[in-house]
Amino acid sequence: MSSAKLLSAFQEAHGHLVARAGSEKSVYLGLVFKSYTLRTTSQFALGYFFLIVLGIAERLISFGIDSIRDKPGQPWRIFPRACLYYVVTMIRYVLMIAIMYVYVEMFLIICLGLALGQILVEAIRYFLMMRRLKRAKLDDGGSSSSLKDSLLESNAHGRPLRSNHVNESCC
């Protein structure tokens, strides 16, 4: 699809949304400390893009929290995990506030951003798992059944044995 066709399709969809929004032809996007009134197609596109990026960032930072492993004798690892959790919590509340304005299309955009972020996280997890399997296969001389079994056991039902922030709900 060419960019001109994509732009015209977005403008047509935006026209239908604005027509349904009422006579003032604008949508209020409230974030925690700042709010915006979206009136034009470019403002809607920018607002939607921002919400999608926030959803992706929330999922990726949650994955980052889980990638900082706890190790005995290294209590300093608590601080970076806590800082990342602080950022993730702020992003989650911003998304929650945006959803609370009961604009269905914005709700769907936020869900899209979170879903895209989760797809990225799952792709990264898969890539890392395959890399560990290849390394174990090289180290064991071709027999990696014990590592493969432990990876499959730990990822049964789609989650590792320990709790993590990636599987935590957004809002």
Side-chain angles (χ1 to χ4, degrees):
M1 180 179 255
S2 71
S3 61
K5 285 183 180 180
L6 185 63
L7 180 62
S8 68
F10 183 78
Q11 286 174 338
E12 182 181 343
H14 169 66
H16 293 298
L17 295 177
V18 169
R20 285 188 15 201
S23 61
E24 59 189 48
K25 296 188 179 188
S26 63
V27 171
Y28 183 76
L29 172 60
L31 303 174
V32 177
F33 300 111
K34 185 109 172 132
S35 59
Y36 302 94
T37 302
L38 307 177
R39 290 187 181 95
T40 66
T41 303
S42 61
Q43 288 174 341
F44 270 89
L46 189 61
Y48 290 166
F49 178 75
F50 177 72
L51 291 173
I52 288 172
V53 168
L54 273 181
I56 292 170
E58 189 274 333
R59 296 282 83 196
L60 290 175
I61 295 171
S62 294
F63 181 70
I65 291 172
D66 293 332
S67 67
I68 300 173
R69 299 284 181 207
D70 299 331
K71 289 188 178 180
Q74 295 180 346
W76 60 267
R77 290 179 182 251
I78 294 170
F79 184 73
R81 287 174 60 100
C83 289
L84 287 175
Y85 187 76
Y86 176 78
V87 171
V88 163
T89 302
M90 285 192 331
I91 292 173
R92 287 175 179 170
Y93 278 114
V94 166
L95 292 173
M96 182 186 66
I97 296 293
I99 287 175
M100 288 174 57
Y101 284 95
V102 194
Y103 186 62
V104 175
E105 290 78 7
M106 207 169 296
F107 169 76
L108 295 174
I109 291 294
I110 290 170
C111 290
L112 174 68
L114 291 168
L116 290 174
Q118 189 64 31
I119 288 169
L120 282 173
V121 165
E122 295 300 329
I124 292 169
R125 279 183 176 171
Y126 179 78
F127 173 75
L128 292 174
M129 181 182 67
M130 294 308 292
R131 192 169 74 181
R132 277 184 281 175
L133 282 172
K134 285 180 183 178
R135 282 186 185 164
K137 192 172 188 178
L138 292 175
D139 291 343
D140 291 347
S143 109
S144 63
S145 61
S146 62
L147 178 63
K148 190 174 185 178
D149 291 340
S150 68
L151 282 173
L152 291 174
E153 178 185 309
S154 68
N155 285 327
H157 309 297
R159 63 184 192 278
L161 294 175
R162 67 182 188 88
S163 68
N164 63 32
H165 297 281
V166 174
N167 292 330
E168 199 173 284
S169 67
C170 171
C171 302

